């Protein structure tokens, strides 16, 4: 019998600067609309779940709101929302905030697209995080995809 999840993989988002370089942005320190993480889509896939895990015991009184977005063409166009996560005022050290993407709103992305994590409401408290996107890989032959260019 086939599995419900045929080829599920994790894409880790690392802290990045809005200029595209690696950085050390803490979600609580960032101001609203800061791109905290950005990563290219490595293969054709469908998004299944987005998640954040807290790496300390932040209990700031302001609720933080974080948007997982995608861009069909990396670095261009308006980002499209995948899901929004809200951090409560309770300590979240070791806790995972996640949202499963509804079957009817799943998007298929290919090489050349990108994921980003954006702070939409900063909670005012420095806290480190780890973020990831759970995707289902869709098998693709690189030669069939115009976004894949072979080099010598």
């Amino acid at each position: 019998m086939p599995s419900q999840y045929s080829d599920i993989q994790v894409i880790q988002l690392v802290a990045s600067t809005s200029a595209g370089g690696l950085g050390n942005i803490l979600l609580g320190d960032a101001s609203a609309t800061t791109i905290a993480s950005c990563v290219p889509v490595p293969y054709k896939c469908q998004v299944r779940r987005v998640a954040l895990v807290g790496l300390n015991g932040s209990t700031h009184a302001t609720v933080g709101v974080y948007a997982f977005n995608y861009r069909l063409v990396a670095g261009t166009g308006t980002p499209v929302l995948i899901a929004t996560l809200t951090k409560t005022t309770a300590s979240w050290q070791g806790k995972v905030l996640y949202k499963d993407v509804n079957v009817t709103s799943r998007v298929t992305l290919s090489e050349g697209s990108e994921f980003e994590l954006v702070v939409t409401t900063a909670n005012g408290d420095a806290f480190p995080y780890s973020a990831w996107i759970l995707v289902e890989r869709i098998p693709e032959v690189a030669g069939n995809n115009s976004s894949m260019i072979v080099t010598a």
Side-chain angles (χ1 to χ4, degrees), residues 7-57:
D7 193 3
I8 300 297
Q9 298 183 4
V10 172
I11 296 177
Q12 181 78 35
L13 279 73
V14 297
S16 64
T17 66
S18 58
L22 293 180
N24 59 355
I25 293 174
L26 300 175
L27 291 183
D29 284 345
S31 58
T33 71
T34 298
I35 297 174
S37 298
C38 188
V39 65
V41 175
Y43 40 72
K44 189 173 182 181
C45 61
Q46 271 192 339
V47 177
R48 295 299 192 101
R49 174 180 288 170
V50 297
L52 285 170
V53 62
L55 302 177
N56 79 356

Side-chain angles (χ1 to χ4, degrees), residues 65-82:
V65 181
Y66 314 100
F68 284 82
N69 299 327
Y70 71 89
R71 294 176 193 263
L72 285 176
V73 177
T76 66
T78 303
V80 179
L81 181 68
I82 298 170

Side-chain angles (χ1 to χ4, degrees), residues 7-141:
D7 193 3
I8 300 297
Q9 298 183 4
V10 172
I11 296 177
Q12 181 78 35
L13 279 73
V14 297
S16 64
T17 66
S18 58
L22 293 180
N24 59 355
I25 293 174
L26 300 175
L27 291 183
D29 284 345
S31 58
T33 71
T34 298
I35 297 174
S37 298
C38 188
V39 65
V41 175
Y43 40 72
K44 189 173 182 181
C45 61
Q46 271 192 339
V47 177
R48 295 299 192 101
R49 174 180 288 170
V50 297
L52 285 170
V53 62
L55 302 177
N56 79 356
S58 170
T59 57
H60 196 274
T62 303
V63 172
V65 181
Y66 314 100
F68 284 82
N69 299 327
Y70 71 89
R71 294 176 193 263
L72 285 176
V73 177
T76 66
T78 303
V80 179
L81 181 68
I82 298 170
T84 301
L85 299 180
T86 303
K87 181 206 169 294
T88 66
T89 58
S91 173
W92 76 314
Q93 185 170 10
K95 304 276 193 290
V96 176
L97 302 176
Y98 76 95
K99 186 170 281 187
D100 287 332
V101 179
N102 187 311
V103 172
T104 59
S105 58
R106 285 189 189 142
V107 63
T108 299
L109 299 172
S110 295
E111 300 86 343
S113 301
E114 73 182 354
F115 294 116
E116 66 181 20
L117 171 61
V118 178
V119 177
T120 57
T121 304
N123 89 333
D125 194 8
F127 59 90
Y129 69 97
S130 182
W132 67 91
I133 297 176
L134 196 64
V135 299
E136 180 176 10
R137 186 173 180 171
I138 299 172
E140 180 68 83
V141 176

